[in-house]
Amino acid sequence: MKLRSALLSLCCAAALALPLPLHAEERWGFDLGLGGSVITSEYKDVYSAGATLPLLGYEGEHFYLRGISGGLHLFKNEMHEINVQLSYLPQRYLASWSSDHAMKQLDDRYSSMLAGLNYRLLSPYGILQATVSADILGYSNGFIAQASYSYPVTLGFITLMPSVGIKWTSCEYNDYYYGIDSDESRASGLSEYKPGSALSPNAGITARVGLSENWSIFANGNLEFLNQEIYDSPMVENATKLSVGAGLLYRF
């Protein structure tokens, strides 16, 4: 399996989202650690990449940092959160990544920043989360809405967190990252393509093992099933995206 050094950036951090605190009394303080990840690409003749990265998480009364997202609490109690959130969007494509000649003639697509509103419900029946956000750097001028449900299962010092989710991406977002305009079509020989909006489901699991009061290790994996609007793009050859990660954490 080939590795693309151009991908060894924050896009790999998407596979290393820190395990969320499970109970109200665990929702305070810092997580600091080191982790590694591998993420596959949906783009034609672009393969997987891996990276080792420092990890930092924080849960506080007024703000939080969770992997590649951070935010301010507009409202928060034992069960509910409403947040203003800023996130790094790791999605991107550089023409030099692909070994396919036609793909090398396409324009680059860049990662961006998202700003939006986030809602979390922590209940005895699991964790429900929903986020609506927009590209604030103007690359795609698109929107993303996503929701997920997870349920922690504790087995002694091991906690398993299976999850299911769905992500909606607007036509503007999909056109920027997966569309091919007339100029690109003439240069590459690939057919023009202008996708619509798309709903893509995903499923994942996180395992966290407590080694002591402060130390823990975790591993996670997530599989996204790309909507036909995305998969039909001449840029795309894989209908799924897989990310896996693992790390060592110290809570203080």
Side-chain angles (χ1 to χ4, degrees), residues 16-22 31 55 57 59 66-67 120 159 161 206-209 216-220 247 249 251:
L16 280 173
L18 297 178
L20 294 174
L22 306 182
D31 280 307
L55 303 175
E59 296 290 333
R66 300 167 186 159
R120 290 181 70 204
T159 299
M161 179 90 79
T206 296
R208 187 165 187 166
V209 181
S216 64
I217 57 175
F218 77 92
N220 57 27
L249 292 173
R251 173 163 291 181

Side-chain angles (χ1 to χ4, degrees), residues 12 15-16 35-38 218-222 243-247:
C12 293
L16 280 173
S37 69
V38 174
F218 77 92
N220 57 27
N222 188 77
S243 61
V244 295

Side-chain angles (χ1 to χ4, degrees), residues 128-140:
L128 179 66
Q129 184 164 221
T131 305
V132 178
S133 52
D135 177 0
I136 59 173
L137 297 187
Y139 289 117
S140 70

Side-chain angles (χ1 to χ4, degrees), residues 40-60:
T40 64
S41 174
E42 69 274 36
Y43 290 112
K44 186 176 181 181
D45 282 343
V46 178
Y47 301 95
S48 64
T52 301
L53 300 165
L55 303 175
L56 177 63
Y58 175 73
E59 296 290 333

Side-chain angles (χ1 to χ4, degrees), residues 77-98:
N77 62 21
E78 292 299 309
M79 291 185 62
H80 304 278
E81 288 183 15
I82 299 176
N83 309 307
V84 175
Q85 182 168 281
L86 186 68
S87 303
Y88 174 74
L89 175 65
Q91 182 72 41
R92 62 175 181 162
Y93 169 77
L94 299 181
S96 60
W97 289 353
S98 180

Side-chain angles (χ1 to χ4, degrees), residues 94-166:
L94 299 181
S96 60
W97 289 353
S98 180
S99 57
D100 182 82
H101 175 75
M103 292 284 288
K104 288 181 177 293
Q105 313 311 310
L106 301 178
D107 297 336
D108 293 336
R109 276 77 163 168
Y110 299 105
S111 55
S112 191
M113 297 295 296
L114 300 173
L117 291 175
N118 168 265
Y119 170 73
R120 290 181 70 204
L121 169 66
L122 291 89
S123 79
Y125 307 103
I127 301 171
L128 179 66
Q129 184 164 221
T131 305
V132 178
S133 52
D135 177 0
I136 59 173
L137 297 187
Y139 289 117
S140 70
N141 293 312
F143 295 87
I144 298 176
Q146 45 196 335
S148 65
Y149 169 78
S150 56
Y151 186 83
V153 178
T154 301
L155 306 169
F157 54 85
I158 301 174
T159 299
L160 300 177
M161 179 90 79
S163 64
V164 292
I166 191 141

